[in-house]
Amino acid sequence: MTYEAARRGDEPGGTAPEADGGLPGARPLWRQRDFGVFWVAQTLSVLGDSFALIALPLLVLEATGSVARMGLLTAVGGAAAVVAAVFAGAVVDRVDRRRLLIACDLVRMALYGVIPLVWLFGPQIWLLYAVLPLCEAVGMLFAVGYVTVVRGLVGTERLTEANGRLNATAAAAGVLGPLCAGLVAAWSGPAAAVGVDAASFGVSAVCLCFVRFRSRPGDERTGKHAGLWQDLRTGVAFLRGHPVLRSLTALLFGFSFLTLGLNDLVIYHLKHDLGHDDGTVGTVMAVGALGTITGALLVARIRRRLGFGPTWTGSVAVCGLAFAGLGWARDVPVVAALSAAFLACAGMAGTCSMSLRQEVTPEHLLGRVTSAFWTLQYAAAPIGAAVMTWAAEHRGTAPVSLAAGACCVLIAVAALFTPVRKAGRG
């Protein structure tokens, strides 16, 4: 973000000008204290979150044996995130972002913490359908706030590098997280893994207390905003007026519809089709996270060399090829390799699109544009997750994955006929 580093921040913990001239991006990332603490907080949070990524579907599968019920839970959570995205940008642009991020972590700690306590007295599937939507809504609010603070911590010129490092270390935590989650689930049940997730949000909140965010330009929090719906229309109008962002929004609408239920399909394929246990699920997810690390570490270099368009389009195409083969793979190492390829390329595409949006959006609009972008991108994704998992239960994972993967490849081809293809280098 283009924060006014030349004067003291107006948020709690705001800082005076940097010793190197007030430009956060002038120093290497490893020497920037606030980014470093923020980096640690997010890595710890993802470490715990990866437990829930596996534990919640396993709780449903353990109690019902149905991939369609797993997909329904994913759809309900996704729908809550979409609804929250409508208002998240307006909220983020109005409030103290540091306090907002901390509050979001604390709320999620409390909500997820309820699940293992209730599970002590027996499975209660209804609780998951109550807790997950609330956590997803709060998580969307956190995610929009998270995107808006990165530019102020590192400077515009280091955005892709910073996003890549955040994603790489988050993925590194995601290697250990799924592996441990599978072992914990096999040893003491998936509910205990959710408890680890709850604790991780508490640690993240504590770390964020020590991050000093820089001031925002103008008077963003003086109450001069229009209504919430007008704020959303403002974000949509910016997206519509930017050729590349407009095209990306439409393309990602289809991509998200096809891929939101991927995690459920992989878990169901491993446990139902191939007959493996929770430990194997965790191992495959951990290997997949290694792919995310690889993609995150390479994305800045590849984007500098090839440009935004080829990097994004190629990543989506490889995602489609990997997805197409997942349901047909009969060996666990092949499933793990395809998962890693998909997650590596999905991470590269996501980092590119997020960095571009941060680079081209004016600071005072960043929250609202991010909110509008995610609202439109994920508007149909919950329906897609429900449809894909229902189809997998009735038709099998192999034909569903093949059809979804082929459609992802077609999305990459369609991008070649949009302004995304010629988006600039760097």
Side-chain angles (χ1 to χ4, degrees):
M1 289 177 287
T2 311
Y3 285 91
E4 292 181 314
R7 61 183 179 86
R8 179 172 295 276
D10 62 352
E11 301 201 20
T15 61
E18 299 283 353
D20 56 15
L23 297 175
R27 294 187 300 170
L29 291 180
W30 62 269
R31 293 185 57 194
Q32 297 184 33
R33 172 197 171 278
D34 291 321
F35 175 74
V37 177
F38 184 76
W39 194 357
V40 169
Q42 301 319 300
T43 302
L44 290 173
S45 181
V46 171
L47 177 63
D49 227 2
S50 60
F51 274 66
L53 180 68
I54 294 176
L56 292 178
L58 286 177
L59 284 172
V60 176
L61 190 60
E62 183 181 85
T64 68
S66 170
V67 67
R69 294 288 296 274
M70 295 166 63
L72 181 60
L73 180 63
T74 300
V76 170
V82 170
V83 173
V86 173
F87 307 104
V91 173
V92 168
D93 282 344
R94 281 175 160 85
V95 304
D96 183 308
R97 292 170 180 172
R98 179 169 173 264
R99 292 177 181 174
L100 176 67
L101 295 179
I102 293 171
C104 288
D105 271 343
L106 293 177
V107 169
R108 286 183 290 176
M109 178 187 70
L111 289 172
Y112 277 125
V114 171
I115 293 175
L117 294 177
V118 171
W119 239 254
L120 292 174
F121 304 96
Q124 299 291 336
I125 296 299
W126 66 266
L127 181 64
L128 302 182
Y129 287 93
V131 167
L132 184 62
L134 293 174
C135 288
E136 288 293 313
V138 174
M140 175 58 70
L141 194 61
F142 181 95
V144 174
Y146 164 90
V147 169
T148 64
V149 301
V150 174
R151 191 165 74 191
L153 291 174
V154 303
T156 301
E157 68 277 12
R158 292 189 181 273
L159 266 175
T160 301
E161 180 186 359
N163 287 328
R165 292 196 179 191
L166 284 164
N167 290 340
T169 50
V175 172
L176 182 60
L179 184 60
C180 293
L183 295 176
V184 170
W187 178 48
S188 58
V194 179
V196 176
D197 184 32
S200 74
F201 286 118
V203 177
S204 176
V206 171
C207 291
L208 287 171
C209 290
F210 296 95
V211 179
R212 298 169 297 180
F213 295 131
R214 293 171 179 83
S215 61
R216 287 184 272 177
D219 46 3
E220 294 181 35
R221 291 188 277 128
T222 59
K224 295 184 178 180
H225 290 285
L228 293 177
W229 287 108
Q230 181 58 46
D231 282 338
L232 180 64
R233 287 196 293 269
T234 299
V236 171
F238 184 87
L239 293 174
R240 187 171 59 243
H242 193 285
V244 177
L245 293 182
R246 181 176 65 241
S247 300
L248 279 176
T249 304
L251 294 167
L252 286 171
F253 176 89
F255 185 79
S256 299
F257 177 90
L258 296 165
T259 60
L260 183 61
L262 175 70
N263 188 59
D264 295 330
L265 292 177
V266 172
I267 292 175
Y268 183 73
H269 182 54
L270 289 169
K271 289 185 66 71
H272 180 268
D273 299 341
L274 305 184
H276 292 282
D277 60 12
D278 294 348
T280 302
V281 172
T283 301
V284 169
M285 294 298 179
V287 174
L290 287 173
T292 307
I293 296 173
T294 302
L297 292 176
L298 293 177
V299 62
R301 182 181 304 174
I302 293 175
R303 185 185 171 190
R304 281 196 299 268
R305 176 169 296 183
L306 301 180
F308 174 88
T311 302
W312 190 90
T313 304
S315 296
V316 171
V318 175
C319 281
L321 296 175
F323 197 172
L326 273 170
W328 297 90
R330 310 308 298 177
D331 298 322
V332 171
V334 178
V335 175
L338 291 173
S339 296
F342 179 92
L343 291 173
C345 292
M348 290 179 62
T351 299
C352 280
S353 63
M354 181 170 68
S355 298
L356 177 70
R357 195 170 62 252
Q358 290 168 318
E359 291 162 3
V360 303
T361 305
E363 166 62 21
H364 68 284
L365 291 176
L366 190 53
R368 283 164 282 179
V369 170
T370 298
S371 179
F373 186 85
W374 283 347
T375 298
L376 297 173
Q377 175 183 341
Y378 290 108
I383 299 173
V387 169
M388 293 295 173
T389 51
W390 178 88
E393 185 166 289
H394 290 80
R395 302 295 181 184
T397 53
V400 171
S401 66
L402 178 62
C407 289
C408 289
V409 173
L410 290 176
I411 289 173
V413 173
L416 298 177
F417 298 93
T418 72
V420 171
R421 180 174 67 90
K422 296 182 179 180
R425 296 180 180 273

